[in-house]
Amino acid sequence: MSDTDTVEPVRSIRAPARLEYRFTAGAAQSRFLRHLVEGKILAQRCPQCGKVYVSPRGACAADGVATREEVEVADRGTVTTFCVVNVKFAQQVLTIPYVSATILLDGADIGLMHLIQEVEADQVHMGMRVEAVWSPPEERGPTLESIRYFRPTGEPDAAYESYREYV
Amino acid sequence: MRDVAVVSFAQLPNVRSEDKRNEVEMLMPVISEAIEGSGIPRKEIGFTVSGSCDYLVGAPFSFVTGLDAVGAWPPIQESHVEMDGAWALYEAWVRLQHGDLDSALVYSFGKSSLGPLRDIMVLQLDPYCVAPLWPDSISVAALQARAWLESGHEESEMAEVAARSRRDAKANPMAQLSEERDPATLLEEPYLVSPLRRHDCPPLSDGAAAMILAAGDLAREVCERPAWISGLDHRIEAHGLGVRDLTTSPSTALAGRHAGGTDVEVAELHAPFTHQEPILREALELGPQVTVNPSGGALAANAMMVAGLTRIGEAARRIIDGSATRSLGHATSGPCLQQNLVCVMEAR
């Protein structure tokens, strides 16, 4: 038997790697993030299909054309779908259970992901009307965290037909 | 084989740092320019394929966001290669051979400015015995340059390539680095990583490119002088640098033979480092009558994942504009010319 048959197999090695990257937000997303500091939610409208995108990425993903027209959308909208987070994970800042939801802001054609608070998790439902709770102006930055969360407005639920296209 | 041609090509001007636009905002104008240049309605393009690399962006599935620039609704037939766009072109060409589609959009994008490129490129090396030593991309190229010089060449040959490429790039508005320099004075500069001097290395570039392929009658209908692909082949060598002869490029030679890379007037060679151009010239048996890299090549603009497709686009452009009747585009991938693709095009 040769040495190659008797050697103790190496089962792992350590090869640490660290690479630092910059991120290019781009023109559309930069303008969206800057407007959050002002307490405004900026969207863009597609010149072909007319759909309003938030957050805007400068393009209509359906038509592949630049979306140059900017429109402000409301800071309130309708929950189109949601999930209740019951699992713990590292860097978790919220106490479980909490709710992540897709919110169709009034005037927008695409859902925005955010948290729903000030309501028991088991009370959140599709069609629920919610509004943004902003951070105080001096604490805002060019980040979606400038909106702390959304909370129920107390309005009657939106009819399913009004958001069925966006579910 | 079905006749397939390049009918349109567009590229962004290469820049050191495209810090105002994200990838989608970069791609939209260049994809639109290529599509409009082809005259084929966007929604009638049969197949879409892109080439890019998540490691450059530092984000998984970053190519998916690039699709926002295409208009993927109603759903389209789409694919992606984690390689230079030249290999996306290869996939498109194979796809068009199936015969059921007549056109394809090929695009690629790369931003070298987002991360430490010299270190990022280490991740393509053997992860067990080489990458943990972190030999950066210029050092790896320098290993090849040293081997090539020791096989009977002079540093002055490298300086000549640098001077000619940057001089030719002055006529290329898409180039990033162009200058008039005397090769002799270049040799007075200090080494960056011996035996490579700064001028032997490519610039760090951000860029994007897009190309439209069309088959048969459609190509003839939309383009006065299509660049017909008469041969397209790619070959790869072993991954380990130590098991290859770095002074020659047998994979290029083989791809060139299979693609029929003879009697070309113009060759665009993807040689990011100066010493790689003579290695490729020899592998492709290009004589002195062949004009090499009139665009300035990768030494003038080297957007990762884009520079290879751009070589083929530049070679195609010379057929389309009537300045050549037969041209060759070459692309490389991996360390030290590990994998090579040759695309031969002609007017008919």
Side-chain angles (χ1 to χ4, degrees):
Chain A
M1 192 183 274
S2 71
D3 286 349
T4 53
D5 296 318
T6 57
V7 70
E8 173 69 17
V10 174
R11 303 203 185 275
S12 71
I13 62 164
R14 286 185 66 82
R18 181 179 176 83
L19 297 166
E20 294 204 10
Y21 290 89
R22 294 188 302 126
F23 171 70
T24 312
Q29 227 155 23
S30 292
R31 288 180 56 74
F32 166 77
L33 292 168
R34 293 286 172 206
H35 275 73
L36 290 174
V37 182
E38 312 296 321
K40 293 175 177 168
I41 304 176
L42 196 69
Q44 288 184 333
R45 193 193 309 276
C46 173
Q48 280 187 22
C49 66
K51 288 219 158 66
V52 173
Y53 296 111
V54 62
S55 71
R57 285 179 43 81
C60 173
D63 294 314
V65 296
T67 46
R68 293 200 181 80
E69 186 196 343
E70 291 183 331
V71 290
E72 204 181 314
V73 295
D75 65 351
R76 62 172 57 202
T78 302
V79 173
T80 59
T81 185
F82 64 97
C83 69
V84 182
V85 180
N86 278 301
V87 287
K88 285 189 176 166
F89 55 87
Q91 286 104 39
Q92 195 166 43
V93 291
L94 299 162
T95 41
I96 57 171
Y98 65 89
V99 177
S100 280
T102 302
I103 301 153
L104 183 67
L105 298 174
D106 295 348
D109 287 294
I110 192 166
L112 184 81
M113 182 110 152
H114 219 299
L115 302 165
I116 308 290
Q117 304 261 282
E118 293 189 29
V119 58
E120 291 301 320
D122 63 1
Q123 298 301 303
V124 176
H125 54 272
M126 287 168 68
M128 183 181 241
R129 296 284 297 163
V130 293
E131 65 185 0
V133 175
W134 293 84
S135 299
E138 64 276 12
E139 288 176 22
R140 287 181 207 150
T143 158
L144 256 184
E145 288 177 340
S146 291
I147 297 174
R148 291 166 61 200
Y149 52 83
F150 282 75
R151 69 178 171 205
T153 63
E155 295 167 86
D157 286 355
Y160 181 64
E161 288 66 36
S162 69
Y163 61 89
R164 65 182 298 170
E165 259 189 79
Y166 305 99
V167 173
Chain B
M1 279 296 177
R2 192 174 184 218
D3 287 341
V4 171
V6 178
V7 296
S8 177
F9 176 70
Q11 57 179 311
L12 286 187
N14 286 262
V15 295
R16 173 65 185 87
S17 180
E18 184 72 76
D19 59 359
K20 295 281 195 296
R21 295 190 285 185
N22 62 31
E23 285 81 353
V24 172
E25 290 167 337
M26 287 168 69
L27 279 169
M28 259 188 310
V30 78
I31 288 175
S32 291
E33 186 185 338
I35 292 175
E36 284 158 23
S38 77
I40 301 171
R42 184 184 289 255
K43 299 291 179 190
E44 289 177 22
I45 289 172
F47 184 61
T48 297
V49 58
S50 60
S52 67
C53 179
D54 283 356
Y55 283 97
L56 294 175
V57 190
F61 294 93
S62 61
F63 68 91
V64 176
T65 60
L67 270 178
D68 282 6
V70 173
W73 188 264
I76 60 172
Q77 288 197 43
E78 185 268 347
S79 186
H80 174 262
V81 295
E82 194 75 7
M83 300 184 77
D84 188 289
W87 277 265
L89 161 71
Y90 187 86
E91 183 174 336
W93 178 76
V94 170
R95 182 65 189 81
L96 291 179
Q97 294 304 325
H98 292 196
D100 58 324
L101 301 173
D102 292 332
S103 59
L105 161 66
V106 180
Y107 66 91
S108 66
F109 57 100
K111 296 178 84 168
S112 304
S113 66
L114 298 179
L117 184 66
R118 286 171 68 169
D119 293 334
I120 291 171
M121 297 308 285
V122 172
L123 300 178
Q124 70 181 324
L125 303 172
D126 165 13
Y128 305 109
C129 296
V130 183
L133 305 172
W134 289 92
D136 72 276
S137 54
I138 297 183
S139 302
V140 170
L143 289 174
Q144 184 183 34
R146 173 65 66 202
W148 180 77
L149 286 167
E150 298 289 319
S151 74
H153 292 277
E154 302 291 335
E155 288 178 10
S156 59
E157 296 171 61
M158 294 157 66
E160 294 278 353
V161 171
R164 195 205 70 239
S165 299
R166 270 74 184 242
R167 189 174 57 237
D168 288 348
K170 291 171 82 172
N172 177 5
M174 301 301 169
Q176 179 186 346
L177 186 57
S178 62
E179 60 180 358
E180 187 75 48
R181 286 291 298 270
D182 174 17
T185 65
L186 287 177
L187 289 171
E188 293 165 9
E189 309 260 335
Y191 288 117
L192 182 63
V193 179
S194 172
L196 297 177
R197 295 178 173 83
R198 189 165 286 278
H199 67 252
D200 293 310
C201 304
L204 291 160
S205 312
D206 288 357
M211 180 182 277
I212 304 293
L213 299 183
D217 288 342
L218 179 63
R220 279 180 282 270
E221 184 188 314
V222 299
C223 185
E224 199 171 306
R225 206 177 139 89
W228 294 102
I229 295 172
S230 63
L232 182 53
D233 195 73
H234 67 97
R235 302 280 158 163
I236 193 165
E237 295 170 46
H239 193 202
L241 295 172
V243 299
R244 292 165 50 198
D245 175 359
L246 299 178
T247 67
T248 63
S249 185
S251 54
T252 302
L254 201 54
R257 275 206 297 283
H258 281 265
T262 51
D263 302 321
V264 298
E265 297 142 55
V266 182
E268 282 279 345
L269 306 180
H270 186 191
F273 295 90
T274 52
H275 65 275
Q276 294 175 334
E277 184 189 295
I279 293 174
L280 293 169
R281 271 179 188 255
E282 186 186 288
L284 293 166
E285 298 176 27
L286 301 177
Q289 77 286 359
V290 180
T291 305
V292 171
N293 288 352
S295 68
L299 286 163
N302 190 41
M304 302 302 296
M305 308 299 135
V306 180
L309 180 65
T310 300
R311 302 281 71 70
I312 296 158
E314 289 282 355
R317 194 165 63 80
R318 283 170 169 79
I319 305 287
I320 293 170
D321 71 14
S323 59
T325 54
R326 197 167 152 81
S327 66
L328 181 152
H330 158 270
T332 196
S333 180
C336 300
L337 304 174
Q338 185 198 358
Q339 185 169 11
N340 293 281
L341 177 149
V342 175
C343 179
V344 181
M345 290 159 286
E346 61 187 20
R348 283 177 191 161

